[in-house]
Amino acid sequence: MENSVSQPAPAVGGDERVRQLGWFKLLMNKPWFAAAAGSVLVFAVFAITAGSSGMFNLDGIMNWSQVAAYLGIISIGACLLMIAGEFDLSIGSMIGFSGMMVAIPPLYFGWPVWLSVIFAFVVSMAIGWLNGYLVIKTRLPSFIVTLAFLFILRGLTLALAVMFTNQTIVSGVGDIAIKDPLVSSLFHGVIGTGFFEWMAEKGWIATQDGGKPLVAGIPKVIAWWALLGVIASLILAKTRAGNWIFAVGGDANAAKNVGVPVKKVKIALFVFTAFCACLFATLQVCDIGSAAADRGMQKEFEATIAAVIGGTLLTGGYGSVVGSCFGALIFGVVQIGLGYTDVNSDWFRVFVGVMLLVAVIFNNYIRRRATESR
Amino acid sequence: MSASQYILELDNVSKIFGSVIALNGVTLRLREGEVHCLLGDNGAGKSTLIKTLAGVHKPTKGEYRVDGKPVLFDSPSQALDKGIATVYQDLALVPLMSVARNFFMGREPIVKRFGIFPVLDHQHMEVTARQKLGEMGIRIRDAEQPIGTMSGGEKQCLAIARAIHFGARVLILDEPTAALGVKQSFNVLKLIHKARERGISVIFITHNVHHAYPIGDSFTLLNRGQSMGTFTKDTITKDEVLDMMAGGAEMQKMMAELDGVHI
Ligand SMILES: Nc1ncnc2c1ncn2[C@@H]1O[C@H](COP(=O)(O)OP(=O)(O)OP(=O)(O)O)[C@@H](O)[C@H]1O
Ligand SMILES: [Mg+2]
């Protein structure tokens, strides 16, 4: 009786109008496919041109994956925000500002490092919230609002650093951070030392003179990147929040009309992006041992570009965390890889620009395929 | 008459957007289990009225009652919680998202993975979306395909199927047959009929008298943001409904001539 309305029975099996797509076509429909293919291509090129240079030795691999990991962390934030239809141009300035928040209080106010790290996360996420709140309230493009914060935060970083410390580079915090059990276990050094020592004993990896492995373990930044990447992609693909992120970026009005809390989703993602920037800064301060007022310069662009190379649409509504991780990987491999070749590293920027252009054109083509009736 | 006879009531409601008075003191009452047609020219305020009912807009003035109790919805999801579902004129679909994800947008079913992690019930989403669309005579090829690739009518059927699925008590349809073929339009009318049989109340906006008159129990005419009155079917003929749809100018003249028309 329920079915009396429809003449043809609901399709259970196949439909004569469905053509079996080849595996290549199916892959093409994945947002991360192009970036994955790009990564393979980049690896292939460097394997040929710099294969014997040590780039693919264990220490070489750690080298470029660390660069990719730093960028990957912020590109995950930028990617989710962009899928939700917004930008954050203040990521780079937030990195500089957060670094100072981590470094100055222990050195000048006598705070324990764990407290300054918590302080940095709280304040930066509050600024992220403010970013989002202003975008929602003023209905201005997030491009403009966060551009303002790009300048405000960079200016504050410089001004406050000079005010409290009389210098723009604050060093000496690294030694304190190592002694703080919480901070050093979360953000400093490497993980998996036991495993690497075991591999060195077996003679599988290169060792120093004393038999210790040349590479002590996996830098924690890489572990953070992996962890964040897995969590963010699961949230995006598998949860209600993920569905809301796509909906909000695809058509905010439609999402609102069916009861998606558009404002909350957007603000939460601004907060998450600020979290990512602060994580970047904390790891960097612990790694380098200092904070500087010019840290994170242009990182907002690099994070955005990595997300775009990873297949995320600039206009929102489409993209993937996995893709932006591949985008960051391409970045790291090329940036460091050029140093292993004879090519002048000035060409890096040219490469990035060309990559961006190709990715945007490709993404647009994919979007048109997906949204226009054929 | 007790107030609870009406499932939805708008009492003297106005909605003002900046300098635009979209609704001006409109009163509308929806009986339990009736099909109520909302008629009026383009820009008369029909969509604004139903968006107020759906929880998208809050009335600037006046009161909105559900089951006789005043409500002030903060979000359409609160209206949906009360079983009031809407098919918007622009359908409220996201072209880049899949059929299944659109169908459940904002009301996603959840299962607990490993007993703790709340994840989307993809299986249920796909099966339900496929089945509900099938009941409307639309066979979807792939529940994972982005709906941007569907035809206009298929999208409209998706929006209607979604509202019927979630509209346990009240179904609001803003020009649901605008893009539909003959067969699908007929299906929508049948669905409205079936909804009424199940005791669901329907608000139906259309510009097509052949769709409105056979199915409608009462008819409310909006003109430039104001209600020109509600007519039950036994007090009005098809031609008079047609006049009302043409803007009501003829109707007003006629009302002046005719006494005893119950408004
Ligand atoms: N969000 C808004 N901001 C400003 N003005 C609005 C808004 N929504 C509607 N209006 C105005 O209110 C009036 C009524 O619009 P509405 O969409 O309700 O008309 P309608 O009866 O649905 O017309 P149609 O038959 O063309 O769909 C129009 O003049 C419109 O411009
Ligand atoms: Mg309308």
Side-chain angles (χ1 to χ4, degrees):
Chain A
M1 189 195 161
E2 278 294 306
N3 277 339
S4 62
V5 166
S6 61
Q7 288 310 315
V12 182
D15 182 320
E16 75 286 358
R17 289 189 299 174
V18 183
R19 192 161 54 89
Q20 273 301 317
L21 292 179
W23 57 270
F24 183 74
K25 275 269 164 68
L26 282 175
L27 273 179
M28 282 279 285
N29 285 338
K30 302 282 180 200
W32 47 262
F33 172 69
S39 302
V40 171
L41 186 69
V42 164
F43 274 117
V45 168
F46 280 102
I48 294 166
T49 58
S52 54
S53 65
M55 182 181 167
F56 295 99
N57 293 348
L58 197 52
D59 55 332
I61 291 175
M62 289 305 169
N63 203 352
W64 49 255
S65 11
Q66 203 166 338
V67 172
Y70 271 112
L71 180 60
I73 287 173
I74 47 173
S75 77
I76 289 169
C79 161
L80 291 189
L81 188 62
M82 212 195 304
I83 294 176
E86 304 290 345
F87 282 105
D88 189 351
L89 291 183
S90 68
I91 294 175
S93 301
M94 186 72 88
I95 290 170
F97 191 69
S98 304
M100 284 297 177
M101 286 194 288
V102 170
I104 292 177
L107 291 170
Y108 291 85
F109 314 146
W111 293 19
V113 180
W114 60 264
L115 186 62
S116 75
V117 168
I118 292 175
F119 170 73
F121 273 102
V122 170
V123 174
S124 59
M125 285 161 81
I127 295 170
W129 178 89
L130 183 64
N131 259 331
Y133 180 80
L134 288 176
V135 167
I136 298 290
K137 273 292 152 191
T138 60
R139 297 181 187 207
L140 288 169
S142 50
F143 175 81
I144 295 297
V145 173
T146 58
L147 182 63
F149 273 88
L150 182 156
F151 282 94
I152 293 170
L153 290 176
R154 186 63 72 190
L156 272 179
T157 309
L158 268 164
L160 293 178
V162 169
M163 193 170 110
F164 287 120
T165 73
N166 247 334
Q167 50 202 350
T168 55
I169 299 179
V170 180
S171 48
V173 69
D175 303 333
I176 314 175
I178 292 173
K179 292 195 200 97
D180 186 307
L182 182 71
V183 173
S184 76
S185 66
L186 280 177
F187 304 113
H188 183 268
V190 297
I191 59 167
T193 46
F195 179 62
F196 276 66
E197 270 163 25
W198 176 74
M199 285 200 295
E201 267 169 40
K202 295 272 180 190
W204 292 346
I205 56 175
T207 56
Q208 295 168 340
D209 290 342
K212 285 250 166 210
L214 194 62
V215 176
I218 296 173
K220 280 188 185 142
V221 61
I222 297 176
W224 272 106
W225 179 35
L227 181 73
L228 212 57
V230 169
I231 293 175
S233 49
L234 285 180
I235 287 180
L236 188 61
K238 302 272 179 210
T239 70
R240 179 180 279 172
N243 210 42
W244 290 355
I245 291 171
F246 282 119
V248 160
D251 187 337
N253 193 40
K256 176 175 161 249
N257 282 352
V258 294
V260 174
V262 175
K263 295 174 185 176
K264 280 186 195 152
V265 171
K266 289 198 171 180
I267 290 179
L269 288 175
F270 275 104
V271 172
F272 177 68
T273 308
F275 167 87
C276 293
C278 189
L279 179 61
F280 182 114
T282 308
L283 286 160
Q284 195 182 43
V285 167
C286 289
D287 185 29
I288 303 179
S290 68
D294 64 349
R295 289 274 163 75
M297 279 281 192
Q298 294 198 353
K299 285 294 171 198
E300 60 282 340
F301 295 120
E302 291 183 15
T304 306
I305 293 169
V308 171
I309 292 177
T312 304
L313 276 183
L314 282 163
T315 42
Y318 189 75
S320 82
V321 172
V322 177
S324 67
C325 288
F326 277 118
L329 190 63
I330 292 178
F331 242 93
V333 171
V334 175
Q335 191 173 356
I336 300 300
L338 284 181
Y340 287 93
T341 65
D342 309 329
V343 181
N344 190 319
S345 56
D346 295 337
W347 286 96
F348 175 60
R349 277 155 201 267
V350 178
F351 168 81
V352 168
V354 172
M355 247 340 244
L356 176 64
L357 208 54
V358 171
V360 169
I361 292 169
F362 182 79
N363 291 350
N364 249 356
Y365 163 74
I366 293 289
R367 193 222 358 220
R368 243 181 290 131
R369 262 175 37 125
T371 53
E372 278 168 22
S373 305
R374 278 158 295 166
Chain B
M1 274 194 235
S2 72
S4 60
Q5 180 191 0
Y6 301 110
I7 183 161
L8 297 187
E9 283 172 279
L10 287 181
D11 192 0
N12 216 359
V13 160
S14 300
K15 180 67 202 176
I16 299 170
F17 299 106
S19 60
V20 181
I21 305 171
L23 294 177
N24 188 1
V26 173
T27 295
L28 181 114
R29 297 198 173 92
L30 181 66
R31 278 199 185 78
E32 196 103 44
E34 76 166 343
V35 175
H36 196 127
C37 294
L38 198 53
L39 314 172
D41 217 354
N42 293 125
K46 304 182 295 296
S47 295
T48 308
L49 184 101
I50 62 100
K51 280 184 183 163
T52 308
L53 293 171
V56 176
H57 299 318
K58 284 185 192 153
T60 314
K61 263 187 272 171
E63 196 169 70
Y64 175 15
R65 288 188 291 269
V66 176
D67 299 320
K69 289 185 213 75
V71 290
L72 204 59
F73 293 137
D74 286 321
S75 144
S77 66
Q78 293 179 353
L80 281 160
D81 288 341
K82 290 209 181 281
I84 303 167
T86 306
V87 177
Y88 298 95
Q89 196 164 8
D90 63 7
L91 304 183
L93 299 171
V94 176
L96 281 162
M97 285 167 72
S98 71
V99 173
R101 280 175 179 266
N102 264 291
F103 194 95
F104 285 95
M105 183 163 62
R107 315 234 102 202
E108 297 84 356
I110 294 296
V111 285
K112 289 273 165 83
R113 183 65 47 84
F114 308 123
I116 35 173
F117 299 112
V119 298
L120 294 181
D121 191 348
H122 274 295
Q123 169 102 27
H124 173 75
M125 285 166 68
E126 278 194 24
V127 170
T128 311
R130 194 180 283 282
Q131 186 200 338
K132 296 293 166 178
L133 272 170
E135 285 172 14
M136 300 213 36
I138 300 291
R139 298 168 66 184
I140 45 173
R141 287 154 237 181
D142 174 8
E144 281 303 305
Q145 81 183 102
I147 62 153
T149 58
M150 290 169 80
S151 78
E154 285 175 323
K155 283 185 217 165
Q156 202 151 31
C157 287
L158 172 54
I160 295 168
R162 178 173 70 183
I164 289 176
H165 185 66
F166 291 112
R169 302 187 61 205
V170 180
L171 200 53
I172 301 172
L173 305 160
D174 195 350
E175 299 192 33
T177 51
L180 297 189
V182 175
K183 190 175 91 190
Q184 275 77 9
S185 292
F186 184 64
N187 272 353
V188 170
L189 295 179
K190 261 189 155 177
L191 279 165
I192 294 175
H193 188 75
K194 262 173 53 182
R196 173 171 55 193
E197 278 182 350
R198 283 186 292 164
I200 294 174
S201 318
V202 180
I203 292 180
F204 179 35
I205 298 179
T206 177
H207 289 291
N208 187 336
V209 68
H210 304 296
H211 292 166
Y213 195 75
I215 197 92
D217 297 313
S218 45
F219 305 86
T220 293
L221 171 66
L222 279 189
N223 188 20
R224 301 177 64 79
Q226 283 177 308
S227 169
M228 307 308 286
T230 299
F231 307 84
T232 52
K233 194 168 191 167
D234 47 350
T235 61
I236 197 163
T237 66
K238 194 170 185 170
D239 286 340
E240 288 165 340
V241 173
L242 194 57
D243 271 348
M244 283 164 62
M245 288 174 145
E250 309 283 344
M251 196 60 208
Q252 276 168 288
K253 240 188 284 166
M254 209 165 65
M255 272 161 50
E257 290 165 11
L258 281 173
D259 277 335
V261 175
H262 176 70
I263 298 175

